[in-house]
Amino acid sequence: MTDILDDLAWRGLIAQSTDLDELRAMLAAGPVTLYCGFDPTAPSLHVGNLVQLLTLRRFQQAGHRTIGLVGGATGLIGDPSGKSTERVLNSLEVVEGWLTRIREQVSRFLSLTDDEGMIVSNLDWTGPMSAIEFLRDVGKHFPVNRMLARETVKSRLDTTGLSYTEFSYVLLQSLDYLELYRRYDCRLQTGGSDQWGNLTSGVDLIRRAEGGTAHALTTPLVTRADGTKFGKTAGGETYWLDAELTTPYAFYQFWLNADDRDVASFLKFFSFRAREEIEELEKATSDRPAARAAQRALAEELTTLVHGEPETSRVMAASRALFGQGELGELDARTLESALASVPSASATSPLPPVVDLLVETGLVSSKSEARRTIAQGGAYLNNVKVTDETATPEPADLLHGRFLVLRRGKRNVGGVTVPTA
């Protein structure tokens, strides 16, 4: 057993705890069963869920038993936490489809053996329960005045209002903790700090219903150096864990483009590297920020964790090749297409227009005269080959996989051209 709490504290991953000293003693006494829940409110988890997924994994690596709970029941209801309006309720069929996909995603992060971990759905115990049973066995333990005092409830009541459906969410999540306590002797629930009220309500329900002792531990909400909250979106775009929704190349670039001011904390939150290695990467960022050593290490580790080593190797090869440090011809069509989707792009038809026109259409330059100057100064490249003729026009043979051209202005400005298939 390793001291997981010391590691989490060093990484800045402890926000709130019911009783940290008591929890430390319990963890030191032997393997503890803990859980974290993930609701299927979309077809995929996103980067904002990674802190919780990786926290479960850290506990498992420290010798504890983890339960990934997918909210087949709570996903049908909606949690008012972090929401300013009522959630749109999805059909049972839609939620079931999302549940299957999210179960698979959670399973990638945990070892699923009897002694190490499992995945469960809360619909298994909530579905068969009647409304009368729910009210008598669970509802009686929740004083309404305490529920109304919860910050998430008060903020909604003071603004848009709150339906009984979402008001009851805390009861359902608390029931989850009680059931896992009864079935698997689960003694710890983890979550984000915005879930503190839900977590402690579960602790209280176990005390009231069973006279048992359980704990809650939250991680802080991750914020960037510019003050914005790190969540599922960045710059208005959602970064999903599903390769069909966010390509592995775009996922890799998301981490590669991390601000120098953020990358040290991101390494602590998301990396499994040892403390000494993270501190070395911090120093490298300070000494030679242009090398982006910490960002590259983070991007490679997280992309491998989420998408696997083979996909990461292809993505890294594409990243190098796009910027003239590898062979574009060695990239498969799917990887090249996903890479070009992340850069300024244009569509072209046959016969292909001159390079000058393509530089303008991709947005790499603002005018044809600027395009000509770029070529004259030796700063324009077609498929990583320097363009020296201002009248140069790509040939059909230049099309990679018969569809793609890669343009570059200077070292770092890349654009793509796609010829639609017939």
Side-chain angles (χ1 to χ4, degrees), residues 124-147:
D124 291 346
W125 51 82
T126 307
M129 181 177 285
S130 72
I132 295 298
E133 287 177 305
F134 180 68
L135 292 173
R136 286 177 60 86
D137 298 342
V138 181
K140 68 178 181 180
H141 295 296
F142 285 81
V144 172
N145 59 326
R146 291 183 59 184
M147 294 180 67

Side-chain angles (χ1 to χ4, degrees), residues 245-295:
L245 300 177
T246 296
T247 67
Y249 183 87
F251 187 85
Y252 178 86
Q253 291 295 320
F254 170 77
W255 299 103
L256 187 64
N257 293 326
D259 192 303
D260 287 343
R261 297 170 297 171
D262 293 324
V263 70
S265 60
F266 284 2
L267 281 166
K268 292 176 182 177
F269 291 155
F270 301 106
S271 173
F272 286 90
R273 295 170 187 268
R275 178 172 182 168
E276 294 75 14
E277 190 172 1
I278 290 176
E279 289 173 345
E280 287 175 5
L281 288 168
E282 284 186 74
K283 186 175 186 303
T285 299
S286 176
D287 293 345
R288 297 181 60 234
R292 302 187 73 75
Q295 285 91 336

Side-chain angles (χ1 to χ4, degrees), residues 295-315:
Q295 285 91 336
R296 293 180 190 281
L298 182 66
E300 181 177 356
E301 181 176 359
L302 268 295
T303 307
T304 301
L305 191 64
V306 174
H307 295 294
E309 189 172 341
E311 193 68 64
T312 303
S313 296
R314 287 190 286 269
V315 163

